Amino acid sequence: MARVLIVDDSPTETAILEKVLKNHGHEVLKADNGADGVALCRAEKPDAVLMDIVMPGLNGFQATRQLSRDQETSHIPVIIVTTKDQETDRVWGERQGAKGYLTKPVEASHLIQKLQDVMAA
């Protein structure tokens, strides 16, 4: 299965996402802020990234933009997973390079389907 990097500053949200991913046979990497997420993504080259938006320091939009514009990581799909459910946030996320956008709480089936979709594209 896939190696998926979760970038989220909430231990609770990270645990929920990790459980869903592991239940579907995926390997999980974790970072609790945007800067560490970008660094880990560059080092480990996961198959996909689940990115929160609201984090201290480098936020999810900034981290997504860095990953999508870096030659080393631009091929890795980023799915934004956030509580921000405004259309403007979704559009801005796509402009930063996100390949998907899910709002919390995420249904396990939606998460797995979106992950499969972006990795197949």
Side-chain angles (χ1 to χ4, degrees):
M1 296 311 274
R3 292 176 70 222
V4 182
L5 170 59
I6 300 170
V7 184
D8 197 316
D9 62 333
S10 164
T12 304
E13 290 295 337
T14 299
I16 291 167
L17 294 171
E18 181 178 17
K19 182 178 180 186
V20 170
L21 292 169
K22 286 188 171 181
N23 284 346
H24 286 83
H26 299 295
E27 181 183 337
V28 175
L29 304 168
K30 299 180 279 190
D32 61 8
N33 63 66
D36 288 351
V38 169
L40 191 57
C41 190
R42 286 182 177 141
E44 295 291 332
K45 306 289 192 293
D47 298 304
V49 178
L50 302 181
M51 181 76 70
D52 187 25
I53 292 176
V54 182
M55 295 182 285
L58 193 70
N59 70 40
F61 288 137
Q62 294 165 320
T64 298
R65 182 170 53 244
Q66 284 187 20
L67 293 174
S68 68
R69 295 188 180 160
D70 184 329
Q71 271 190 308
E72 285 187 51
T73 56
S74 62
H75 66 284
I76 301 169
V78 176
I79 300 170
I80 291 178
V81 183
T82 182
T83 56
K84 296 174 74 64
D85 64 354
Q86 299 296 311
E87 185 62 22
T88 53
D89 296 318
R90 183 180 306 271
V91 169
W92 187 244
E94 290 170 1
R95 286 189 179 166
Q96 305 316 302
K99 303 296 185 219
Y101 195 102
L102 297 169
T103 52
K104 297 174 186 175
V106 178
E107 273 191 50
S109 61
H110 291 155
L111 175 64
I112 297 303
Q113 185 61 56
K114 180 59 76 176
L115 194 57
Q116 290 171 345
D117 291 349
V118 301
M119 289 192 309

